[in-house]
Amino acid sequence: MTRVAVLGAGITGVTTAYALAKRGVNVTLIERHRYAAMETSYANGGQLSASHAEVWNHKATIWNALKWMARRDAPLLLNPTPGWHKLSWFAEFLAAMPDYERNTIATARMAIAAREHLFAWAQAENIAFDHRRAGILHVYRDRRGFERAAGVSRLLAKGGLQRRAVSLLEMRAIEPALHGDFYGGYYTDSDSTGDIHKFTSGLADACVRLGVACRYGAPVTALAREHGKLRVSVGDGEGEDSTVFDAVVICAGTASRAMAAMLGEHVNVYPVKGYSITVQLDDGASQAAAPKVSLLDDATKLVSSRLGEDRLRVAGTAEFNGINYDIRADRIRPLLQWVEQCFPDINTRKVIPWAGLRPMLPAMLPKVGPGKAPGVYYNTGHGHLGWTLAAATAELVAEAVASSSAANR
């Protein structure tokens, strides 16, 4: 039987391990943390959002980045300190701008395909993850943003996604709890939300039931090709050991770039920091005042998701500042202010802040499938849409691995 190591136990690694195990592959899941889903899959915005499939390679992104450079609380913050990794990433980002429309359409198609697998897996494995199928409402504060969204909606429609324009009156009917001055919105009733950490942890348990060997607390220290196989070395705090596999799938988020380099490959993943807050809705008044429909506020680039009855997750911002997990008060403050302004009757006494690093590739599409070296596969670089796309990309890479192993028998 083919032996495959899946490196990384975030949403992409765990879904990949599960998809491989369902195909009868002998899988070892290797993760540096003590548990699954402890980094970017811990406290994201919660949205399963095909409606957010627009890639960022657009002149509007460049303009906003330049406009906001002097603001420490800007939705998109670029640290101006130069560095080869950052410069090379932005050069490739600019080079991908002509593919903006094609990549947006491709992302929408992938997001739609992912739903079928994720929902089926949750049902088959009885995973409770605060799933809410109430749609996602994009809100716009001015006519310019609303009209630009019409063009994005046409691209999403080419990818198979329907989202409809709604008036201010319709917005209020969809989400009566929302306060503030808005121009209009777009509503996608097929989108949904859920707790990524709960889902990933539940699917990791399902992997164990399927026979996946899970090695937690085992950071990868070396990868090497050896006599047609792949040797994976890990350290566990008490020393180092290595195991030979027929194939490896690199699903290591922002660490994927370093792992690819061990094998002589260039995978230009950059860590783009995002922040979230989880507001504990501990009283009946706050629960009644909190939104039930997931929101994306275009002006602030913030998203919100209701997770069960007693939690509201608000997330957003993009910070280009290298590997940096610091939770900055000036970056958290706009999230809290957004809650206080848009939902003033929520008690914000108990708020949990968090920061995570999105693994982004310059063209904003994940790297999925075989690498240059035989037996090496990738499922990484999902950026802000890992939760939305992971089930589809896991199926793609698992099918590639399984097909290759069958052909080599």
Side-chain angles (χ1 to χ4, degrees):
M1 181 183 293
T2 301
R3 299 188 66 204
V4 178
V6 175
L7 310 182
I11 184 65
T12 55
V14 171
T15 52
T16 298
Y18 182 82
L20 284 166
K22 293 289 283 185
R23 287 167 168 79
V25 177
N26 183 327
V27 181
T28 298
L29 180 62
I30 301 174
E31 165 60 43
R32 68 173 180 164
H33 291 287
R34 293 179 64 192
Y35 314 100
M38 294 304 292
E39 288 206 17
T40 312
S41 301
Y42 187 77
N44 75 347
Q47 292 188 333
L48 291 160
S49 51
S51 60
H52 202 22
E54 181 192 12
V55 299
W56 297 4
N57 309 82
H58 190 276
K59 61 183 180 182
T61 306
I62 306 300
W63 168 245
N64 284 334
L66 296 173
K67 180 176 65 175
W68 289 330
M69 279 187 73
R71 283 181 49 190
R72 291 179 61 84
D73 64 348
L76 193 158
L77 183 64
L78 173 61
N79 185 331
T81 304
W84 171 246
H85 186 193
K86 189 188 302 180
L87 292 172
S88 69
W89 192 93
F90 275 108
E92 292 182 39
F93 177 90
L94 294 172
M97 288 179 69
D99 297 323
Y100 160 79
E101 291 191 2
R102 183 179 67 184
N103 289 349
T104 295
I105 294 168
T107 304
R109 288 175 177 153
M110 199 181 306
I112 293 169
R115 293 170 176 166
E116 177 184 349
H117 301 300
L118 189 144
F119 298 164
W121 296 347
Q123 183 175 11
E125 304 298 344
N126 196 28
I127 302 172
F129 63 107
D130 293 325
H131 190 207
R132 185 182 293 263
R133 298 196 189 196
I136 293 178
L137 176 64
H138 286 61
V139 298
Y140 300 88
R141 296 172 184 261
D142 56 39
R143 180 174 179 176
R144 181 179 179 182
F146 181 80
E147 290 181 347
R148 183 181 181 279
V152 176
S153 292
R154 287 191 289 271
L155 290 180
L156 297 177
K158 291 180 180 180
L161 182 78
Q162 298 302 317
R163 71 172 188 175
R164 61 184 177 90
V166 291
S167 67
L168 187 58
L169 188 63
E170 290 174 297
M171 280 175 51
R172 301 299 185 195
I174 293 169
E175 184 43 76
L178 178 65
H179 288 65
D181 295 324
F182 297 94
Y183 180 86
Y186 276 83
Y187 180 58
T188 312
D189 59 5
S190 60
D191 276 343
S192 60
T193 57
D195 188 320
I196 188 174
H197 183 74
K198 286 186 176 182
F199 177 86
T200 309
S201 298
L203 197 67
D205 291 340
C207 286
V208 174
R209 293 193 294 271
L210 289 172
V212 173
C214 295
R215 290 202 61 182
Y216 294 119
V220 173
T221 56
L223 296 172
R225 289 279 304 169
E226 185 178 290
H227 307 300
K229 306 284 186 178
L230 279 301
R231 181 173 291 278
V232 180
S233 300
V234 302
D236 60 3
E238 297 182 358
E240 185 173 283
D241 65 81
S242 63
T243 308
V244 173
F245 296 91
D246 298 298
V248 298
V249 187
I250 296 176
C251 308
T254 56
S256 298
R257 178 173 177 262
M259 291 187 186
M262 294 176 187
L263 296 165
E265 296 195 41
H266 177 63
V267 178
N268 203 8
V269 171
Y270 192 87
V272 180
K273 190 199 287 188
Y275 293 84
S276 79
I277 58 173
T278 302
V279 184
Q280 298 296 136
L281 309 172
D282 289 340
D283 58 90
S286 293
Q287 292 173 10
K292 292 181 171 58
V293 173
S294 182
L295 302 169
L296 189 151
D297 186 339
D298 183 69
T300 61
K301 308 302 181 187
L302 296 180
V303 306
S304 71
S305 297
R306 185 73 172 267
L307 301 177
E309 285 302 307
D310 61 353
R311 291 184 298 154
L312 176 66
R313 176 74 48 76
V314 177
T317 78
E319 185 176 312
F320 289 80
N321 196 24
I323 300 290
N324 184 309
Y325 292 92
D326 295 344
I327 298 177
R328 292 172 43 179
D330 57 348
R331 306 291 287 155
I332 290 292
R333 191 174 302 114
L335 281 66
L336 185 59
Q337 290 173 340
W338 185 85
V339 175
E340 293 169 346
Q341 292 165 5
C342 294
F343 305 98
D345 294 327
I346 291 179
N347 187 324
T348 55
R349 182 176 289 113
K350 191 182 294 185
V351 174
I352 302 170
W354 174 84
L357 303 179
R358 308 178 186 96
M360 284 195 170
L361 285 165
M364 308 297 291
L365 289 176
K367 182 174 179 61
V368 183
K372 295 178 181 178
V376 178
Y377 297 82
Y378 293 91
N379 185 15
T380 192
H382 295 65
H384 66 297
L385 291 176
W387 182 210
T388 298
L389 302 178
T393 60
E395 280 290 301
L396 289 171
V397 75
E399 186 58 33
V401 174
S403 297
S404 177
S405 64
N408 292 331
R409 286 173 189 161

